[in-house]
Each structure stands twice: as structure tokens, then as C-alpha cells.
Amino acid sequence: MASKDLYQVLGVADTADAAEIKKAYRRLAKQYHPDANPNNPSAAERFKEISEAHGVLSDTDKRKQYDRMRKYGAFNGGGRSGGASRGGSAGSGPAGADAGFEFSDLGGLGDIFSSIFGRGRREEAAEPIETLVEIPFRVAALGGKVPVSLAVNEQCGTCHGTGGAAGAKLTTCPECSGRGTVTFGQGGFAVSRPCPRCRGRGKIASEPCPTCHGQGEVRTERRLTLTVPPGTESGAKMRLQGQGQPAPGGGPTGDLVVTFQVQPDRFFTRDGLDLRCEVPINLAQAVFGTQLRVRTLDGKKVLLKVPPGTQPGRTFRVKRLGLTKGGRRGDQLITVNVALPTELTPEATALMQQLAAATGMKY
């Protein structure tokens, strides 16, 4: 069976950038995920193809290696040449290639191909899974720990991953002959992936497990505690090795990639390593000056001296009360907002008129 072009699997051009590849993968993975198609084996197979393609094209080094092989026409619809199958005619592959052309003739590209896809999917870790975690502003700024609940597929505790009911007979899978993987390819290369019939186990049960319905795994909730570093911003990512999805067929567990989303604070906003906040003062405080006790990020208060004649919107800088990151410390920027009275008594109006006259203010 001829292998598929990985760009065609994701439905993107070979000039697609990383963002386009990621967007296409997410769209297709959502459409063909086994959880969304529990009774559709072809969807599960399609999902594996999509994950495999994304695993190569999202990795800069693997993509370069793949593109080097692709240019020799090793994949349907890819490259400048028309393919390099054993039965092809002379000239069907790269210039000078004959009917016996193999990738081992390309100066090590056969080994490169093996390094991209591996000797068998049994030995490969599962694709990393991604999750979005919201964290409080204070935790993001100062650092701390946050609990996370993650839905993953774990080995079924009833059948211990065999997929069979108690007492069920396990026979060799006829699809993969017990290897747990199926191989396809052409010419001098081959690609292995988990067998879609036995899900990489190599065995078929005569009666499915009543808990997992023959899948060998169940959906469970895993609880983790994440350590958030100080100065974390929205969009920052954390990769946790071996905390993601277990691989089919007993391979290593994949990684978990966490993207942080910082919740807004009612008082503080962030400006790089600086913290901004606003405090109200009345007209008399702006005119005659005052002292304010302003809250800081660590829950304490700092004394701010507001001089006489302070204008609305003036910002005061208090050194080294901002965020700490990479050995640097920001400041706290305090902006004063002058609250003007909406109504004045006759006496207050007269006093304001006298003040305006004395200072030369026009109204």
C-alpha cells in the first residue's frame, strides 16, 4: 500500500507555517477523535494518521528530514518525481535512479526515515496533549501552586488492558499477526503504526470487557498540582514529561503541555514587570495634599504622599514593589483619580468662587 503524503493528510500546503499546521491538526483531531466517534473504527484510524502527520510536521527537525525524502517522490502527491517503487520504470525516481532504487541508496535517508517514524509505534510515546489552565493574578505574579483536573484514557482496571472479559479467550490478531502494529510503504521504506483492530495489543478477546467494551482503556480524571513560576503571563506554556496520555500498545506516556491564562485582578494590572493601580482622592486632597495607604501585591500597604496641587491622572512610582523575574524587579505605578462633587451647597459654591477668584481660575 502506498504511503500518504503527510501534508495531504492534514490538508495543508507544503509551504504551510507552524500555525497553519497546528490549526489544521486541531480541527481534524476534534472531528475524528475516538471519543467523538466511539463506533467508527475508520475514524480512529484517521485520527492516528492525523496525529502521525502532526507529530512529524510540527517538529522542525523531523519536518526537514521528511521534506528531504519527499522531494524524491516517496509519498503520493509529493515531490518532483513520480515515485520510487520497486516495480517502477527507470527514471521514475530521482535522476539516475533505476527500477531497483531504494532509499538506502540516498546516502542514509533510509535511516533518517526510520528516525522520523520509529521502528514501531509500540516504542513511541503518545502525542502530547494540551490543556488551558486559568490561574489567579496573584499566583501568576508571585508564583504558587494550582490544582488541575485532566481527563485522560487510562488502562482499564478490570481487564488490565487486554480488552477481554474475565475468562475470555485471547487469540492472535489476524490483522497484524500478533505484532501489534501494521506496516505499509513502498520501495525500500516502511511505516509502522498501532493495529486498528487490536489497538496495538496483538491479541483479540473472544468476549469484550464489560467495563471498557473491548477498548482496553477507560476515560478517567487525573488530578495534578502545578507549580507556577513567579511572573507568569497569559500564553506562557509548561511541558510536563510523562503526565499526558498513555500510548497505545504499552508505549511511553506522552507529555502534558499546559497553557496558562491569567485571571484579571480588580485592583492591579500588569505592565511588563510593573504593576499599575488607581486610587481615588477628593478635591480637597488634590488641592491641599494628603497621605494615602495603598495596597501592595503582597497584601501589605505602602504610604504614598500626595503633594498639594496634584492634577487628576498623575502617576506616582514606588520602586521595587512590582514583579520579580529573571533577577529583575519592577515597580508599582499608582495613578490618582480626583473625584469631583456632583452637587454643591450654596456655601460651598461661594467658597469655590472665592478660590477661583483668588487663583485666577476661569469658569
Side-chain angles (χ1 to χ4, degrees), residues 81-104:
S81 57
S85 64
R86 287 184 179 275
S89 60
S92 63
D98 57 21
F101 168 75
E102 296 187 27
F103 283 104
S104 58

Side-chain angles (χ1 to χ4, degrees), residues 6 31 68 75 88 91 104 157 164 199 223 233 254 260 270 282 322:
L6 299 188
Q31 179 180 354
R68 285 178 60 191
F75 308 95
S104 58
R199 300 179 65 85
R223 296 183 181 275
E233 300 181 72
F260 291 111
R270 181 172 176 174
N282 59 41

Side-chain angles (χ1 to χ4, degrees), residues 87-315:
S89 60
S92 63
D98 57 21
F101 168 75
E102 296 187 27
F103 283 104
S104 58
D105 301 327
L106 299 181
L109 283 181
D111 294 333
I112 291 175
F113 191 82
S114 295
S115 71
I116 295 177
F117 295 103
R119 297 294 180 181
R121 296 289 291 188
R122 264 184 196 270
E123 302 174 358
E124 295 184 9
E127 285 288 318
I129 56 177
E130 299 186 16
T131 187
L132 182 69
V133 175
E134 290 192 352
I135 54 177
F137 186 92
R138 180 183 173 88
V139 173
L142 298 178
K145 297 183 182 296
V146 293
V148 175
S149 296
L150 182 69
V152 296
N153 291 333
E154 299 279 8
Q155 185 183 81
C156 176
T158 302
C159 66
H160 303 290
T162 66
K169 183 180 180 181
L170 298 179
T171 58
T172 300
C173 174
E175 182 77 15
C176 64
S177 301
R179 293 187 301 272
T181 59
V182 291
T183 304
F184 63 92
Q186 66 183 49
F189 72 92
V191 176
S192 296
R193 67 176 64 175
C195 174
R197 183 166 181 179
C198 67
R199 300 179 65 85
R201 295 188 295 268
K203 299 288 185 179
I204 297 292
S206 59
E207 182 180 352
C209 171
T211 301
C212 66
H213 308 290
Q215 299 299 306
E217 56 188 23
V218 292
R219 198 72 166 170
T220 61
E221 185 178 83
R222 183 188 302 163
R223 296 183 181 275
L224 304 172
T225 299
L226 302 182
T227 299
V228 181
T232 297
E233 300 181 72
S234 287
K237 294 182 181 292
M238 174 183 291
R239 192 180 189 100
L240 303 175
Q241 293 186 345
Q243 295 294 332
Q245 183 68 49
T253 301
D255 297 340
L256 170 64
V257 179
V258 175
T259 301
F260 291 111
Q261 179 68 41
V262 180
Q263 297 171 344
D265 187 82
R266 290 183 298 176
F267 186 64
F268 291 108
T269 57
R270 181 172 176 174
D271 185 0
L273 292 182
D274 294 333
L275 288 175
R276 291 186 176 273
C277 63
E278 297 182 359
V279 293
I281 61 175
N282 59 41
L283 182 60
Q285 290 172 316
V287 173
F288 300 111
T290 188
Q291 291 185 350
L292 303 174
R293 297 185 66 83
V294 182
R295 180 164 63 91
T296 61
L297 186 63
D298 58 7
K300 300 178 182 179
K301 291 189 176 181
V302 63
L303 185 64
L304 176 68
K305 294 183 178 180
V306 180
T310 293
Q311 300 298 308
R314 179 175 175 179
T315 298

